[in-house]
Amino acid sequence: MTTAAEWKAKESEYYIHTFNRQPMVIERGQGVRVWDTEGKEYLDFTAGLAVNNLGHCHPAVTEAIQQQAATLLQTSNLFYTIPQLELAEALVENSCMDKVFFSNSGVEANEGAVKLARKYGRLHRNGAQDIITVLNSFHGRTLGMIAATGQPAYQQAWLPLAQGYANVPYEDLDAIREATTDNTCAVMVEVLQGEGGVNVPSEGYLNGLREWCDENNLLLIFDEVQTGMGRLGSLWGYERFGVEPDVMTSAKGLGNGVPIGAFMCKDTCDVLEPGDHGSTFGGNVLTTAAGNATLRYMVENDVPAHARKVGEYLESKLEGLRQSRPEVVKGYRGMGLLIALQLQNPIAPAVVAAANNEGVLLNPVLPDAIRFMPPLIITEADVDECIEKLGRALDVATAG
């Protein structure tokens, strides 16, 4: 049997070193747990970076993948395919959107949304092409989306950046207003910032963006790559805030582990025509079959409501950690099952390493913050286990 050390040696020899990985080699998963090559079990509170919303190897998704793999894998978009159209219909019927285009990832979905916005600006705002985004956002790692992402640390190594993006402070409506020019066509924001540290917008911010966009004929784009598919305790994050976008992107949880993304729009901004956009694998029958199974199970079993309930329970337990360890834990923030624990000092990597040893997987989203993004099917008992192990990890990381 190949050992973990041997697999790591292969990674060092063959894989471009762009990831600082955790030390374990994950071999299999089931539900809310994974096991490494040494047989150690972990409670998974990362869910593939907010991807496995129904948990690992969910039976409904696994069955759909198996059936589709034995039926048809790829035809390209030169032909009609049934799973693609079924998923498009399901997304429209379960959102405020009217039209869908499928991609392979979240960053591709965001690129497509920008293309749509720029054509809209060309047609309806006298050729306007610029997109306003906000600081601490994360929209992906292509050259275009690095420019859209308002984090200089992601940008500096790739100068010159793609033109046409203005990054302004988060939660500052005046900054949005000041950045708007005759060449602005859209504002793009995450409903809740995930990679930026799980930052929840204050009351009125998203409403203010909606009003400003309406007043100036700008498109409002919501990046729901991380916040969609039940993560915030509603099927789509915008539902928690009562603000509808013109364009919305999705990925991550849409396929429950199968790579798929989508950008969606309302009929009022459906401006793309044949030849404007395309993708060989976007809307592939295997990925859309998995997406169908994921979305159908989530809606029929009201998984978002469960996520909201268990998320509130997780917050209550994190408050207990804050009260019992005020010198270590500063607080918490988030919504549904996307939550960050704010630490008093930049010890998040050490805490996560200690948590790994305890048998729970977490994410050090910032040096002083730990992100919780578990499968949405976790139970209160799973939360209790996580908090117990995290408590020991905090003690280990702060000992001495």
Side-chain angles (χ1 to χ4, degrees):
M1 184 181 76
T2 305
T3 67
E6 290 170 328
W7 286 119
K8 294 175 190 178
K10 287 181 185 292
E11 194 262 4
S12 179
E13 182 175 359
Y14 298 118
Y15 203 91
I16 295 173
H17 191 115
T18 59
F19 301 108
N20 290 317
R21 303 179 193 263
Q22 297 296 324
M24 67 287 292
V25 179
I26 302 298
E27 187 172 38
R28 64 184 179 92
Q30 186 65 52
V32 300
R33 299 176 189 275
V34 295
W35 289 262
D36 66 18
T37 51
E38 309 301 307
K40 183 172 181 176
E41 178 182 308
Y42 302 87
L43 181 62
D44 184 4
F45 266 53
T46 64
L49 290 177
V51 168
N52 302 110
N53 286 6
L54 297 183
H56 297 276
C57 302
H58 191 280
V61 182
T62 298
E63 181 181 2
I65 292 170
Q66 290 172 334
Q67 290 182 357
Q68 191 60 51
T71 305
L72 181 69
L73 280 180
Q74 169 70 1
T75 65
S76 86
N77 286 305
L78 296 176
F79 307 97
Y80 297 97
T81 55
I82 294 168
Q84 181 188 98
L85 299 176
E86 287 179 335
L87 181 55
E89 179 183 32
L91 286 168
V92 169
E93 292 299 318
N94 289 283
S95 74
C96 66
M97 299 286 104
D98 298 311
K99 294 292 191 297
V100 180
F101 186 96
F102 291 110
S103 63
N104 306 290
S105 65
V107 69
E108 290 180 38
N110 286 337
E111 291 273 4
V114 166
K115 286 181 69 175
L116 183 149
R118 287 183 168 170
K119 184 164 186 182
Y120 180 89
R122 195 155 53 244
L123 295 175
H124 299 292
R125 273 198 43 94
N126 300 313
Q129 298 290 286
D130 290 353
I131 313 288
I132 299 173
T133 64
V134 299
L135 298 178
N136 291 321
S137 61
F138 184 82
H139 299 294
R141 296 176 186 268
T142 60
L143 288 174
M145 287 304 103
I146 285 174
T149 290
Q151 295 195 52
Y154 285 107
Q155 298 174 337
Q156 293 305 311
W158 314 113
L159 300 175
L161 297 177
Q163 299 300 300
Y165 297 95
N167 306 147
V168 304
Y170 180 54
E171 285 207 303
D172 189 336
L173 290 173
D174 286 337
I176 296 285
R177 298 184 185 105
E178 292 170 6
T180 301
T181 70
D182 291 340
N183 203 43
T184 304
C185 65
V187 175
M188 180 165 71
V189 298
E190 298 155 278
V191 171
L192 181 158
Q193 290 185 334
E195 196 73 21
V198 190
N199 303 311
V200 182
S202 58
E203 185 176 354
Y205 178 64
L206 296 180
N207 296 84
L209 292 179
R210 178 71 275 173
E211 292 172 3
W212 181 250
C213 288
D214 287 343
E215 291 172 9
N216 292 274
N217 191 26
L218 306 174
L219 294 186
L220 179 59
I221 304 171
F222 280 173
D223 177 343
E224 291 239 31
V225 168
Q226 186 166 158
T227 57
M229 292 300 292
R231 178 58 53 183
L232 299 190
S234 54
L235 187 59
W236 306 107
Y238 73 80
E239 297 174 290
R240 293 295 306 266
F241 298 94
V243 179
E244 293 186 2
D246 302 297
V247 183
M248 180 172 72
T249 61
S250 178
K252 286 189 179 289
L254 183 56
N256 203 58
V258 173
I260 184 172
F263 67 90
M264 298 167 262
C265 69
K266 294 195 172 183
D267 282 333
T268 52
C269 54
D270 177 21
V271 295
L272 297 182
E273 300 172 294
D276 282 347
H277 199 53
S279 174
T280 297
F281 292 114
N284 167 274
V285 287
L286 182 71
T287 63
T288 50
N292 269 316
T294 302
L295 181 58
R296 182 169 59 251
Y297 185 93
M298 186 165 290
V299 171
E300 291 177 355
N301 294 276
D302 203 359
V303 174
H306 176 78
R308 188 167 181 166
K309 177 185 176 184
V310 180
E312 291 171 354
Y313 183 76
L314 174 57
E315 288 186 20
S316 72
K317 292 298 182 177
L318 293 176
E319 172 61 18
L321 281 181
R322 186 194 68 80
Q323 292 182 9
S324 65
R325 296 169 175 82
E327 71 286 356
V328 179
V329 177
K330 187 174 183 179
Y332 58 90
R333 57 184 177 269
M335 186 175 286
L337 283 172
L338 181 58
I339 301 174
L341 183 70
Q342 182 69 49
L343 303 172
Q344 297 284 9
N345 296 296
I347 60 170
V351 174
V352 168
N356 287 342
N357 291 333
E358 291 288 338
V360 61
L361 304 183
L362 297 163
N363 172 244
V365 65
L366 295 174
D368 60 351
I370 295 171
R371 180 168 46 170
F372 299 75
M373 42 187 168
L376 306 185
I377 61 170
I378 62 166
T379 64
E380 292 182 355
D382 295 324
V383 171
D384 290 341
E385 179 183 343
C386 174
I387 295 300
E388 180 183 351
K389 292 179 176 180
L390 175 59
R392 292 197 294 265
L394 288 168
D395 294 340
V396 169
T398 56

